[in-house]
Amino acid sequence: MTRAGRGLELWDLSTDTLVERLPTRGRAVQAIAFAPDSEHVSVATMQDWFVLRVAPA
Amino acid sequence: MYAAPVTSQRTTPFRAGRRLVFVRTIGELWGQAQRTWWADDEPLCLVRWNFHTAELVRESAVRAGESGLRASSGGPRLMGMGAPRAGDGLVIVHECGAGARIVVTRGHKDMSAWTWPEEHVDTGVITDGRRIVLRHGRGSRLSWFAEGAHGPLRPWSLEPVRQILGEARLHVTALCDLGETLVVATFDTWSQWRWDGELIACWRAPAGEFSPSTLVAWHPAGPVVYMQVIDPATGRPGIGGDAFQLVVWDLARGAGRSLGPAYDWPRAAVRPTAAGWSPIA
């Protein structure tokens, strides 16, 4: 889950737990989508497009 | 619009995660990303740039140094854009002297266009590649074009929702492409439809009295994540727009729980697990 320019956050909605927060220091995320495999995430910021992966706990 | 993959220092903050692990750079974006999604196990991105041009890019094209699928008004402002999940087409709506013009592009060619009287306000666009659904006008009406937009804009009636839920404010606030189905958010309702116009289910949205809840992410099997205006003094739903909170809403139970404050306009995606993703238009 992202909050534009404030950070990129991973939440566990089964427990409402904030699993991880990346302070992205103004790098506003414009769009985000999980892959069908539920692991990879496409992230587009104002300037860059990249892929993240949700690692097991 | 994009450049070949580079190691950008701008992505440094995204490389520090332990659970969110950086995998790879796809490219540099020189426009504003409107949506990203996955098709055939590769990411796609719909980008607006130069005020009047939209481009749909996929990772394989970026790596091959190829351009994406582009559509341009040639000058007038874009009012909206959309693309089917397959990524084989692109739809733009732009201002024109007569009102608005929709252009459907496939395979690097403008396949069709249609012009109709319209106010020059932003337009929500989603499509499954056959039907194009629009949220448009100052009244946030819901309409659709048949495949290719070769004919006139047709109204999409929300009357079935009113018949089930009773009196409700039905001006459309968002459209959500769920793949096989779509979600229409209005001030007071959320409804799920087949692309051919058949209503599947509807719910009363947890709207405030003065402002609608803003959908942030929709998972076909639940939950829904939305943003709500709150009174910063009390933390309760309010007006003014000084503060927001993110709420996770269980459609089956009709109950929500707050995830705390929201800043700016959050973007989100719910992990699909066994279902699809859900961009909001």
Side-chain angles (χ1 to χ4, degrees):
Chain A
M1 179 170 295
T2 70
R3 291 171 181 177
R6 303 293 182 108
L8 180 62
E9 299 177 351
L10 177 67
W11 285 77
D12 181 346
L13 294 183
S14 66
T15 59
D16 289 353
T17 305
L18 178 59
V19 176
E20 182 159 71
R21 180 175 190 275
L22 303 180
T24 56
R25 294 190 279 279
R27 305 288 180 213
V29 173
Q30 296 296 310
I32 185 168
F34 269 98
D37 67 7
S38 287
E39 291 186 7
H40 292 85
V41 186
S42 170
V43 181
T45 71
M46 285 296 288
Q47 293 169 304
D48 296 287
W49 185 21
F50 49 88
V51 174
L52 303 177
R53 180 175 59 85
V54 179
Chain B
M1 199 285 310
Y2 54 82
V6 293
T7 302
S8 168
Q9 289 189 345
R10 293 189 301 269
T11 62
T12 299
F14 298 94
R15 295 172 182 267
R18 299 181 61 170
R19 294 292 308 281
L20 280 169
V21 180
F22 195 92
V23 176
R24 62 183 183 274
T25 292
I26 298 174
E28 194 172 354
L29 292 173
W30 295 345
Q32 185 173 28
Q34 304 290 302
R35 266 178 53 194
T36 183
W37 69 97
W38 295 72
D40 299 327
D41 294 326
E42 75 167 329
L44 293 84
C45 194
L46 180 59
V47 182
R48 175 190 181 131
W49 60 295
N50 283 356
F51 190 68
H52 52 69
T53 301
E55 183 164 9
L56 175 61
V57 289
R58 51 198 322 150
E59 181 175 16
S60 57
V62 174
R63 298 202 179 281
E66 299 170 354
S67 62
L69 190 58
R70 289 186 188 179
S72 175
S73 70
R77 182 183 79 94
L78 287 187
M79 298 162 62
M81 66 190 71
R85 286 186 174 215
D88 58 353
L90 180 57
V91 180
I92 61 169
V93 178
H94 67 81
E95 296 178 354
C96 68
R101 184 167 177 261
I102 187 169
V103 179
V104 179
T105 300
R106 285 187 188 276
H108 301 282
K109 282 186 177 179
D110 287 357
M111 297 299 293
S112 56
W114 191 265
T115 301
W116 76 99
E118 184 61 275
E119 299 147 314
H120 289 171
V121 295
D122 287 348
T123 301
V125 181
I126 58 172
T127 177
D128 66 343
R130 296 186 296 276
R131 194 175 269 215
I132 303 164
V133 182
L134 303 182
R135 169 185 52 83
H136 64 106
R138 294 196 195 284
S140 297
R141 302 182 303 279
L142 187 65
S143 304
W144 63 281
F145 281 105
E147 180 178 9
H150 287 295
L153 190 63
R154 308 172 196 199
W156 182 304
S157 174
L158 293 172
E159 192 55 33
V161 174
R162 195 193 303 274
Q163 289 173 1
I164 293 172
L165 297 179
E167 203 52 44
R169 290 166 288 186
L170 294 179
H171 43 280
V172 180
T173 56
L175 300 173
C176 181
D177 173 1
L178 298 184
E180 297 300 314
T181 62
L182 65 143
V183 166
V184 177
T186 73
F187 200 106
D188 286 332
T189 70
W190 292 329
S191 52
Q192 188 173 7
W193 303 74
R194 299 191 202 287
W195 286 91
D196 64 4
E198 180 188 352
L199 177 64
I200 300 171
C202 58
W203 306 264
R204 212 161 253 288
E209 185 177 355
F210 301 105
S211 61
S213 53
T214 301
L215 276 179
V216 176
W218 183 289
H219 191 293
V224 173
V225 179
Y226 69 89
M227 187 173 70
Q228 182 180 52
V229 179
I230 58 172
D231 181 335
T234 65
R236 296 187 171 193
I239 58 174
D242 288 337
F244 304 91
Q245 67 174 349
L246 282 171
V247 178
V248 180
W249 184 262
D250 185 324
L251 286 170
R253 293 173 43 236
R257 56 191 192 274
S258 174
L259 287 183
Y263 303 101
D264 306 322
W265 286 90
R267 278 75 165 174
V270 179
R271 194 172 195 172
T273 306
W277 42 264
S278 50
I280 309 295

